[in-house]
Amino acid sequence: MEKNLHFDSNKDLQLLFGKYDSNLKLIEQELKIKISRSEGGLRVHGTDHQIDKVNDLLTYLLEIVESGQDVKKRDIIYALKLAKDEKGVDFKQLAKEKIDVSIKGGLVTPKSKGQIEYVDAIKHYDIVFGIGPAGTGKTYLAMAMAVNALKKGLVRRIILTRPALEAGENLGFLPGDMVEKVLPYLRPLYDALYDMIDAEKVEEYTERGIIEVAPLAYMRGRTLNDAFIILDEAQNSTPYQMKMFLTRLGFDSKTVITGDVTQSDLPKGSPIGLVDAQKILKHIEGIKFVTLTGEDVVRHELVQKIIEAYEHPHKN
């Protein structure tokens, strides 16, 4: 079957198609169809199902272009992977999950079924645990949701914290102010933050207290109202620290706890706060645990293969 597809935003089509039509060639390859240019659009050769999928995919990708971002190879690959029939996710649903972080500009989109579940949980629960291996977007998506909440006025500040285990949390002996002392331990959070907010704005927000960074030990005794709080690397917290942190939640606040239970740096045999919380809190209404896996890894494809190899060493 052959069908012509027309698009309203012709000026964005070249960005959509990619340099030398590289994006179209990738879609052809992945969906095993034939695409050629036509007046004001494309001519697609394939089954009805394939043509509908191409149309929905291009409409989804065009929204990325219209938001001011380039369409990258990974956007296409992850969208196609997620929209496979057995995953039960279509492009229209994927489009709805975009996170507006337009303080700097652009959109952040979950790229796996697990990530969609994670983002949805953050929308609907006040306390969310995101547990899974490196590269699954735990920290990045939590940061995107925090920036989105700040932009919408749902919270007045963002609080970023993690256990400063390497320094024994005795930061008073380290040189510099609080930000300088804790920055090395919060680097992954800042990396995500700088992707979404200009560096000058981050500095301004930090000075005004709109963005606050602090080691986990400094959360003791506080009540955090009107805030979006992210506890990163929670596998390095003790059960006492985890209980202390979770009881800091105030009114109109949201907390996301991220961690990988297989990567704890606590002394061998020590109880892990993240594991402890899973056992104690799993049946409490209003708290959501989301487990991400190797299928949710959105880094280089080799990262996913490495994670799978370590999870199943006897298969090699």
Side-chain angles (χ1 to χ4, degrees):
M1 181 180 175
E2 178 180 302
K3 185 175 181 180
N4 291 321
L5 303 179
H6 296 280
F7 302 92
D8 295 331
S9 303
N10 290 335
K11 65 182 178 65
D12 292 325
L13 288 183
Q14 187 53 54
L15 293 174
L16 174 63
F17 296 162
K19 191 175 183 179
Y20 304 119
D21 291 346
S22 58
N23 292 342
L24 295 183
K25 291 173 184 175
L26 177 60
I27 294 169
E28 277 187 315
Q29 177 184 330
E30 293 291 326
L31 293 181
K32 297 177 173 57
I33 56 169
K34 182 66 178 174
I35 303 175
S36 57
R37 290 204 186 220
S38 65
E39 186 68 29
L42 298 172
R43 185 176 292 111
V44 183
H45 303 261
T47 66
D48 286 345
H49 180 67
Q50 288 173 318
I51 291 172
D52 287 342
K53 182 163 280 193
V54 170
N55 187 50
D56 289 343
L57 172 61
L58 292 174
T59 300
Y60 163 72
L61 295 174
L62 194 57
E63 291 183 19
I64 295 177
V65 173
E66 290 172 345
S67 74
Q69 295 178 299
D70 294 331
V71 173
K72 298 179 176 63
K73 178 181 177 181
R74 65 174 180 262
D75 293 319
I76 299 171
I77 291 175
Y78 284 121
L80 286 170
K81 180 181 177 182
L82 191 54
K84 286 181 179 178
D85 294 337
E86 64 268 22
K87 295 292 185 182
V89 179
D90 60 27
F91 296 117
K92 292 178 182 176
Q93 179 183 350
L94 191 57
K96 291 178 183 177
E97 298 297 336
K98 288 188 179 73
I99 307 167
D100 183 2
V101 290
S102 58
I103 289 177
K104 183 173 182 178
L107 302 168
V108 173
T109 308
K111 292 178 171 63
S112 71
K113 193 169 184 179
Q115 288 191 356
I116 288 178
E117 180 187 353
Y118 180 48
V119 168
D120 188 66
I122 295 173
K123 290 178 182 177
H124 295 102
Y125 291 83
D126 287 340
I127 297 179
V128 175
F129 287 80
I131 302 171
T136 50
K138 308 181 299 294
T139 300
Y140 197 85
L141 290 171
M143 185 65 72
M145 292 297 288
V147 172
N148 177 263
L150 183 65
K151 172 184 176 291
K152 290 182 175 179
L154 300 177
V155 297
R156 290 190 294 107
R157 54 185 173 152
I158 296 173
I159 298 174
L160 312 175
T161 185
R162 70 186 296 194
L165 189 65
E166 299 89 338
E169 302 217 67
N170 295 316
L171 298 179
F173 296 100
L174 297 178
D177 60 19
M178 171 61 72
V179 174
E180 292 170 334
K181 289 177 180 181
V182 80
L183 183 57
Y185 310 106
L186 293 170
R187 190 77 257 175
L189 290 170
Y190 265 105
D191 288 344
L193 195 59
Y194 287 137
D195 271 358
M196 302 169 199
I197 306 178
D198 289 322
E200 296 80 8
K201 205 71 176 175
V202 172
E203 185 176 342
E204 177 194 336
Y205 283 171
T206 302
E207 290 176 353
R208 293 168 56 192
I210 295 173
I211 294 175
E212 179 183 345
V213 295
L216 180 57
Y218 283 61
M219 294 293 105
R220 192 175 294 114
R222 302 180 61 185
T223 300
L224 305 174
N225 296 315
D226 298 309
F228 196 116
I229 311 114
I230 299 174
L231 168 58
D232 195 34
E233 299 288 340
Q235 76 274 4
N236 290 330
S237 66
T238 65
Y240 170 78
Q241 288 174 324
M242 180 62 74
K243 178 183 177 183
M244 176 274 293
F245 174 76
L246 291 172
T247 54
R248 301 307 95 204
L249 184 69
F251 292 106
D252 299 314
S253 288
K254 191 176 290 286
T255 296
V256 179
I257 300 99
T258 71
D260 178 359
V261 293
T262 69
Q263 296 292 326
S264 178
D265 295 319
L266 290 170
K268 190 173 181 179
S270 298
I272 299 172
L274 184 57
V275 175
D276 197 56
Q278 281 182 281
K279 295 175 183 176
I280 295 173
L281 306 176
K282 61 184 178 181
H283 297 304
I284 294 185
E285 187 176 351
I287 298 177
K288 180 71 173 179
F289 288 84
V290 178
T291 300
L292 300 164
T293 68
E295 287 191 359
D296 302 302
V297 171
V298 294
R299 291 180 181 172
H300 194 287
E301 60 183 13
L302 281 178
V303 174
Q304 184 168 343
K305 292 178 181 178
I306 290 168
I307 290 170
E308 290 170 355
Y310 273 98
E311 288 179 347
H312 307 286
H314 301 299
K315 288 186 177 181
N316 300 325

